[in-house]
Every structure is written in structure tokens, then in C-alpha cells.
Amino acid sequence: LPICAFAQDSTIVQQEIDRRPYIYIEASGRIEIAADLTKIAISLSEKRKSPEEATKLISDKIAQFRSALARLGIADSSVETKSFQFAKVYLIAKDKKGEPVSSFADPDRDKFDGFRATYDAVATLATTDRIGEVLSSASALGIEVDSVTFASSREAEYVEEVRKIAADKARSRAEVYAQSLGGTLGDLLNVKEGTGYNPDTMAYTTLEGYADLAVLDASTAPMAIAPGKLTYEASVSAKWALAPAK
């Protein structure tokens, strides 16, 4: 068999090319479903003279937020802490014109001004119907809402489903071409997730970029109150030998 050599990451890769007649197909799958989960990213930052004071203030507000969620029938476990940080706060010195002398604080130069505690969390709601009430509860406590996104509790199932749709489409299309050309579909020679491969080598060279792997596009407008549809997509490239008609 002929040998194909091509550059990839400054390394010469040799690959045998199967010269049998073949059919190369690219296909994709796509489904749209309604979201059943809402993820609300929140943050809270407080500055006080001592770390204990800053911590207590944040703890009290988060406790009030959890209580508000409980009154809405949302479980306490729905709020997951992502980070909790402390930092000393300094007042950056100013020059004669009243401008800060630097963009960064210097403990040896600047005046100490207390401690800042920062809390970040994500509230995952098993509903898309109580978003407005949750946002109102957060706002009343001075809690910032960084984003509202939607998801599905059956995400893994839907990802597998669109992959199967893409694979079935590829094989069905290949069978139609094979029969129309007076042959039959032979052995499956290669299959890869994504599209844009070289049919001979089934490789995606660095000069051309990277193949597009299965994409999950579950984005909706940040801070949107009404959930949109979630779109799940997958693509596949497959190569079959073209065999003589039986």
C-alpha cells in the first residue's frame, strides 16, 4: 500500500492509505428539548474591619437567602458554594494630582482599610418556573446575580441520542449512494467524531485546523427569565469500503 506522510506538531507521521474504493460520509444529529433545570450563579462581597465581621455578614445573608429558597419549596442542597475568599483591603496612595500612584496595592506604601470576604455559589433549581422569585430574593439581600442559564437533568441521555442520530444518518446515506452506484456497502474502515477530515488519511492536519467534536449548545441569553430551547448537536465522519453488488 502507498505511504502517506504529513506534518503534525512538527513530527512526521506515516500512515498507510487503503486504496480500496470507498464511500466517505459526514452527517450530523440535532435535537431541541425544553430545559428542566435553572442554574443561577450568585456572588456576595462584604468589607469590614475584621475577617470575623465580614464572614458573619456574608453567612447571615446566605442563611437568609437559603431561608427564602425554602419558602419557595427549593431544597437547601440546591445552593453549592464555589469559592469563599479573604483579602486585605488597602487604600492606594495618590499623587499630587489626586491620581492613584499604582493599579496595585502595596502593603508597605498604602493604608490598610479592612478585610473583604467574597462568596460565590451556584443555585441549581429543578424547575424553570420560580426564577423571578429567586432573583427578587437575592436582590433584596444585596446578592449579585452573575448569570442565569438553563440545562437538562437528562443531558447525558440527549448527547447519546444525537450521536446515534448522526451515526444512523451517515449509514443510511452511505447505503443509498452504494446502491445507486451499483454496489453495496462493505466494511466500516474508519469513523471519527466531528467533520472535515481528509477522506484518505482520516486525519485533520494542523494546517487546516481542528475537527469539530460533538457540540452541546445549551446557551440562552444571560439573565433571561423565560427559558429557551436547549439544542444538542453531534457530528460524525465515517468511511466504508464500496463492495461489488451481491
Side-chain angles (χ1 to χ4, degrees):
L1 294 176
I3 298 295
C4 173
F6 56 92
Q8 183 174 1
D9 296 334
S10 303
T11 303
I12 300 299
V13 180
Q14 290 189 337
Q15 179 177 339
E16 293 186 353
I17 298 177
D18 189 332
R19 288 302 187 185
R20 285 180 293 175
Y22 65 79
I23 293 179
Y24 173 80
I25 297 291
E26 295 182 351
S28 62
R30 175 188 174 95
I31 59 174
E32 290 188 350
I33 57 96
D36 63 358
L37 295 178
T38 306
K39 295 188 176 185
I40 303 176
I42 61 173
S43 61
L44 182 60
S45 180
E46 296 290 350
K47 183 177 76 70
R48 289 295 184 271
K49 293 181 178 180
S50 70
E52 292 79 12
E53 289 178 292
T55 299
K56 186 178 186 306
L57 187 56
I58 283 185
S59 297
D60 289 347
K61 287 190 175 182
I62 295 303
Q64 293 177 57
F65 180 61
R66 290 178 183 273
S67 295
L69 294 183
R71 290 192 292 273
L72 296 173
I74 299 171
D76 184 74
S77 58
S78 65
V79 180
E80 180 184 358
T81 301
K82 293 299 182 181
S83 67
F84 190 82
Q85 301 176 343
F86 280 115
K88 291 182 178 180
V89 179
Y90 292 90
L91 298 176
I92 297 177
K94 296 182 179 180
D95 58 22
K96 294 180 179 179
K97 295 181 180 180
E99 298 294 331
V101 297
S102 174
S103 300
F104 304 96
D106 183 348
D108 296 328
R109 177 197 63 210
D110 303 325
K111 180 182 178 182
F112 174 70
D113 192 43
F115 294 86
R116 180 172 296 281
T118 304
Y119 172 89
D120 295 286
V122 173
T124 301
L125 317 181
T127 178
T128 59
D129 299 329
R130 313 302 296 268
I131 304 171
E133 294 165 284
V134 173
L135 298 185
S136 295
S137 298
S139 176
L141 293 167
I143 296 174
E144 294 187 12
V145 176
D146 300 322
S147 67
V148 176
T149 57
F150 302 101
S152 171
S153 59
R154 299 169 60 190
E155 178 176 304
E157 177 184 335
Y158 291 132
V159 169
E160 290 305 306
E161 183 178 339
V162 293
R163 285 173 174 160
K164 186 177 186 302
I165 292 172
D168 289 345
K169 280 185 178 180
R171 183 171 183 85
S172 176
R173 195 177 301 168
E175 288 175 342
V176 169
Y177 282 126
Q179 293 172 8
S180 299
L181 293 170
T184 60
L185 206 59
D187 296 335
L188 178 63
L189 304 179
N190 211 319
V191 60
K192 288 189 176 183
E193 198 166 47
T195 58
Y197 295 98
N198 181 309
D200 285 334
T201 62
M202 289 300 288
Y204 213 87
T205 67
T206 55
L207 293 179
E208 296 174 343
Y210 294 96
D212 56 315
L213 298 179
V215 174
L216 167 62
D217 180 10
S219 61
T220 56
M223 298 306 297
I225 301 302
K229 290 285 187 178
L230 302 181
T231 302
Y232 292 86
E233 298 178 336
S235 56
V236 66
S237 300
K239 178 179 176 181
W240 286 270
L242 180 60
K246 297 180 180 179

